[in-house]
Amino acid sequence: MPMDILIYFGLAFVISAVGSIPPGLSTLSILRRSVQAGHTAALWVSVGALLPEFIYTYVALVGYRYLQQNAFVEQQIQQLATVIFLLFGAYYLLKKRSADFTLPSEEQGCEQATNFGRGLGVGLLNKLIIPFWVVVAGWLGRYDISFDNVLLVMSFSFGAAIGAGAIFWAYVELGNWLVQRLGRIDYYTNKAVGSIFLVLGILQLI
């Protein structure tokens, strides 16, 4: 069981980290706070954004566990995973570099909230975490990765939060550097992430 806990944690960490690399609402909000208010403020925003990552991942896995009881639904989710991976792969590979890449406006944050509350608010808005992990759980099910054990679900959810947190921390530490070169980084990370999704989609077909 201890080894299984580490495996589930590691899987979630890697998948979540890869999924958090492309600039999005949470990462750009953290980046913006890092540039505007400094290292400590941005770290608190990151910590606030981690809580929804854990909660939404846990909810997704528990929901998938109930869907898994229906063999037809499980099969459809696995097929959907193949389509989504291929579509995301093609999207990121074909996505052109943004000519005018801008950071989120202040209205996207929590105007009067603390930095922790700001991160919590941004994280709670990112409800796409739930369908993302449902699809991932369906894909992992093809390789006999199940989510019937509460401890393993907790470990996986924690790994997902920490994986996202590692990327959040990278955005904090490299804030100023990223601001100056974000358009170019966005282009190359799109290619890398797109390739990963395509490989995952092709593996589904094998």
Side-chain angles (χ1 to χ4, degrees):
M1 178 64 72
M3 182 59 67
D4 289 338
I5 290 176
L6 289 177
I7 291 173
Y8 275 63
F9 177 90
L11 274 173
F13 180 94
V14 172
I15 295 171
S16 182
V18 171
S20 299
I21 290 174
L25 177 61
S26 295
T27 50
L28 288 180
S29 296
I30 291 168
L31 175 63
R32 187 175 196 275
R33 197 60 181 160
S34 178
V35 172
Q36 287 189 331
H39 182 270
T40 301
L43 280 178
W44 277 110
V45 174
S46 301
V47 173
L50 289 182
L51 186 57
E53 290 277 347
F54 176 84
I55 294 174
Y56 284 162
T57 304
Y58 185 85
V59 169
L61 296 179
V62 171
Y64 174 74
R65 190 169 59 191
Y66 287 106
L67 292 175
Q68 198 176 23
Q69 296 173 3
N70 186 319
F72 174 77
V73 173
E74 182 183 11
Q75 183 180 15
Q76 294 303 308
I77 290 176
Q78 291 175 353
Q79 292 176 353
L80 179 62
T82 301
V83 175
I84 289 178
F85 286 145
L86 291 174
L87 287 177
F88 268 105
Y91 170 76
Y92 281 112
L93 285 174
L94 298 175
K95 185 179 180 182
K96 295 182 179 180
R97 176 176 170 180
S98 176
D100 185 19
F101 199 89
T102 57
L103 295 176
S105 62
E106 187 65 26
E107 287 73 20
Q108 289 181 327
C110 304
E111 192 72 26
Q112 304 299 328
T114 62
N115 290 310
F116 178 85
R118 187 188 302 269
L120 181 63
V122 169
L124 289 172
L125 290 175
N126 192 15
K127 293 183 175 64
L128 288 176
I129 295 172
I130 294 177
F132 171 80
W133 285 113
V134 169
V135 169
V136 169
W139 170 66
L140 291 175
R142 293 176 61 94
Y143 303 96
D144 298 324
I145 301 294
S146 63
F147 297 96
D148 299 324
N149 185 288
V150 175
L151 277 178
L152 294 180
V153 170
M154 293 283 287
S155 176
F156 193 94
S157 302
F158 187 63
I162 299 302
I167 301 303
F168 292 168
W169 175 80
Y171 270 86
V172 173
E173 295 296 325
L174 302 177
N176 289 325
W177 187 83
L178 286 173
V179 166
Q180 297 170 1
R181 301 170 177 83
L182 197 49
R184 189 167 55 193
I185 290 174
D186 182 46
Y187 174 80
Y188 287 113
T189 54
N190 283 336
K191 299 299 182 186
V193 173
S195 298
I196 291 172
F197 276 121
L198 280 180
V199 170
L200 291 175
I202 292 171
L203 287 176
Q204 289 283 88
L205 298 174
I206 298 176

